[in-house]
Amino acid sequence: MAEPPGVASHPGTFARAWAKAVSGTSYLPMTQAQLEALLDRLTGQLAGALLTEPFDLRAGHRVGAELVAAHIASAEGLGRTVEVIQLRLVRDLGLVAEDVEDRMARLLAAVATGYARALRDRTLDEQESIRRAAMRARTQAERALRASEARFRHQATHDPLTALPNRTLFTERLTAALNEPGRGAQRVGVCFLDLDRFKVVNDTLGHQVGDQLLVTVAERLSKAMGEHLVARLGGDEFVILVEHSGGTDAMVTVAETALAAVGTPALVDGHELQISASIGIVERQIAGANPSDLMRAADSTLHWAKAAGGARWTLYDAERNQRELARYALSAAIPAALERGEFYLDYQPLTSLRDGSLVGVEALVRWRHPELGVLRPDSFIGLAEETGLIVQLGGWVLAEACREAEAWSAGGAAAPFVSVNLAVRQVHRPGLVQEVRALLRQTGLPPERLQLEITESTMMSTAEEPVRALRVLADLGVRIAIDDFGTGYSNLAYLRDLPVTELKVAGEFVAGLRSPSVGRTDERILASLVSLAHALDLTVTAEGVETAGQAERLRAIGCDAAQGWHFGRPAPADRILARIR
């Protein structure tokens, strides 16, 4: 930089003093050397302004503005700048001019003015930037809020995985279809679809593959169903709404189309998956229909399709549904019926075919239902087994049979044993041995007067614990019988290693003995069973004996005992006691 006229020394000395004065008054985004270089340049501008003719204040304005631009923008920084310029600029630079004092005052005012204007402009710029940033932020926030609300609405009505309508939207559409004015005489249909054995895919290949499979199924159903609404209700459940049904045949066509779409092998994540589905179909007139009833009926019908083996459709059957509702109500009433004492036992005699004596009785449970009257076991035992209530009910039967049988000892003659059927769940209970021991101890019934009847399937179970429990009971003296022998595995070989004392031959074989000509085959079968059972030191009781002819033929082939209407119908405990006496 050329030294201005009248400058006696280098401005670097002054610039260093100026830099030292303003250091620390503001955050300066520059090094000390860079600051000194800036102030050295501004020093030259100030010196030139003092000495140049004519005197021009614009240089002071520029210096003030540049200080603000360099972030020397605090009140303290301005004060020190004015102070160092006033005290040292003329002296350090050796400036010589006639009116230098007057020019210095005016120059300092110009620096302050430029500084204030620049600071004001910067503040306004910053405020404008803040305002614009706030507007941008508000706009972005509003846009994000609208997008979030929209997503909350691509989530409230649609399934996030498959993008299909969800339960909410499906229910809205179904409700709208049922409530549309003037459509009461028209018909509507629903196909409730569930993938068969989908859990196997999740368990073996992982949920990621399972989710991809659901997406594939959703795409196929959407494409195959055309105008009909396809929704995902959750899990592997889908539903198809046919708002204008053409009748049952049309709904069957829809269901078969859906099954075909699902049944095509799917390549998912490198795995070729062969899947199938079950569908429950409900189709009815709109008048009188409501969404809840339709979906409940569709759900029940889907379960019928599943129970039938899957990979099929099933039509809703109102009569079947009523029967199942009645069955459900009956099963739900069992616990309360036990508490109210509505169950009781009848006993059917087991009679010796050698001398006609009463050797035992079979306990048969009855239900004195307050509305339906007396119910036989076939009305509720199956329900109890399905729901697991058979453990509670079977425990009551066992306890009541032991209690009543012990009282027969007072009859004076040899009291018969009591035979009680054990369900599969009872046999598999860990506490069976302890339960029987406690009952025998509490009632005083001798172990040899209790017989437990087990089904063939229970004895053929691969589980060792039930067989071990039965061995313990047999060692106590409790009799173990195989019930309905001949209807299951009919394998005498496995009986060698089991704690069995008696076989009860199924009534199907005995029924053939009514006719001398027709029953020859059954008679030969029975004779073989009796012979083999005796070889294993087992006694044989024939069930379902209804005629004297059947009893005679059974006696002739060596059968040990029999039960059936010919020997007496089931009767209460007091009748058994009277017969003993």
Side-chain angles (χ1 to χ4, degrees), residues 345-349 361-363 400-401 404 408 418 569-573 576:
L345 297 182
D346 277 343
Y347 298 90
Q348 185 169 40
V361 292
E362 180 177 354
E400 185 70 1
E404 292 189 325
W408 299 334
V418 63
R569 298 192 176 221
I576 300 300

Side-chain angles (χ1 to χ4, degrees), residues 271-312:
H271 303 279
E272 184 173 351
L273 304 177
Q274 180 67 56
I275 56 174
S276 63
S278 301
I279 295 180
I281 304 174
V282 178
E283 196 274 347
R284 62 180 56 169
Q285 192 176 42
I286 288 178
N290 66 74
S292 297
D293 288 344
L294 271 174
M295 291 308 297
R296 187 161 47 245
D299 188 39
S300 297
T301 311
L302 171 62
H303 285 294
W304 298 345
K306 287 279 192 184
R312 69 191 66 208

Side-chain angles (χ1 to χ4, degrees), residues 139-156:
T139 301
Q140 292 172 355
E142 290 173 351
R143 187 180 299 118
L145 178 60
R146 289 193 296 271
S148 176
E149 290 175 345
R151 285 194 301 271
F152 176 77
R153 286 192 295 269
H154 177 55
Q155 293 175 0

Side-chain angles (χ1 to χ4, degrees), residues 4-17:
V7 177
S9 63
H10 196 278
T13 302
F14 174 78
R16 284 193 295 274

Side-chain angles (χ1 to χ4, degrees), residues 523-574:
E523 186 173 349
R524 286 194 292 270
I525 293 174
L526 285 170
S528 298
L529 287 176
V530 170
S531 177
L532 289 171
H534 286 171
L536 294 171
D537 200 22
L538 304 177
T539 59
V540 180
T541 297
E543 299 177 314
V545 180
E546 298 180 355
T547 67
Q550 289 174 313
E552 184 57 36
R553 294 176 74 176
L554 287 167
R555 184 181 298 110
I557 63 176
C559 190
D560 300 288
Q563 69 181 90
W565 289 1
H566 175 66
F567 296 102
R569 298 192 176 221
D574 56 353

Side-chain angles (χ1 to χ4, degrees), residues 398-471:
L398 181 60
E400 185 70 1
C402 290
R403 185 186 66 80
E404 292 189 325
E406 196 280 329
W408 299 334
S409 301
F417 65 81
V418 63
S419 190
V420 180
N421 288 276
L422 289 188
V424 174
R425 289 178 184 265
Q426 288 178 278
V427 177
H428 284 260
R429 284 189 68 199
L432 177 62
V433 172
Q434 292 81 355
E435 179 183 5
V436 174
R437 275 177 170 164
L439 284 174
L440 294 176
R441 184 173 59 254
Q442 292 166 9
T443 61
L445 182 70
E448 61 272 12
R449 287 191 50 218
L450 174 62
Q451 176 169 282
L452 301 178
E453 296 189 20
I454 316 295
T455 62
E456 284 188 72
S457 59
T458 302
M459 298 303 290
M460 287 294 290
S461 170
T462 56
E464 293 185 3
E465 186 57 34
V467 175
R468 187 180 299 114
L470 292 176
R471 283 201 179 98

Side-chain angles (χ1 to χ4, degrees), residues 311-388:
R312 69 191 66 208
W313 53 262
T314 299
L315 284 170
Y316 176 73
D317 182 340
E319 292 183 0
R320 178 177 178 180
N321 187 61
Q322 284 300 118
R323 291 194 301 270
E324 296 213 346
L325 287 175
R327 281 170 52 85
Y328 175 78
L330 201 61
S331 66
I334 290 177
L338 279 168
E339 292 182 4
R340 291 192 296 262
E342 294 176 5
F343 291 97
Y344 68 95
L345 297 182
D346 277 343
Y347 298 90
Q348 185 169 40
L350 278 66
T351 304
S352 171
L353 289 175
R354 286 190 291 271
D355 57 15
S357 63
L358 181 66
V359 295
V361 292
E362 180 177 354
L364 301 173
V365 64
R366 305 285 190 255
W367 185 354
R368 193 178 290 105
H369 196 281
E371 299 174 359
L372 304 176
V374 176
L375 301 179
R376 296 170 58 84
D378 54 3
S379 300
F380 56 86
I381 289 296
L383 292 175
E385 290 178 338
E386 290 174 12
T387 59

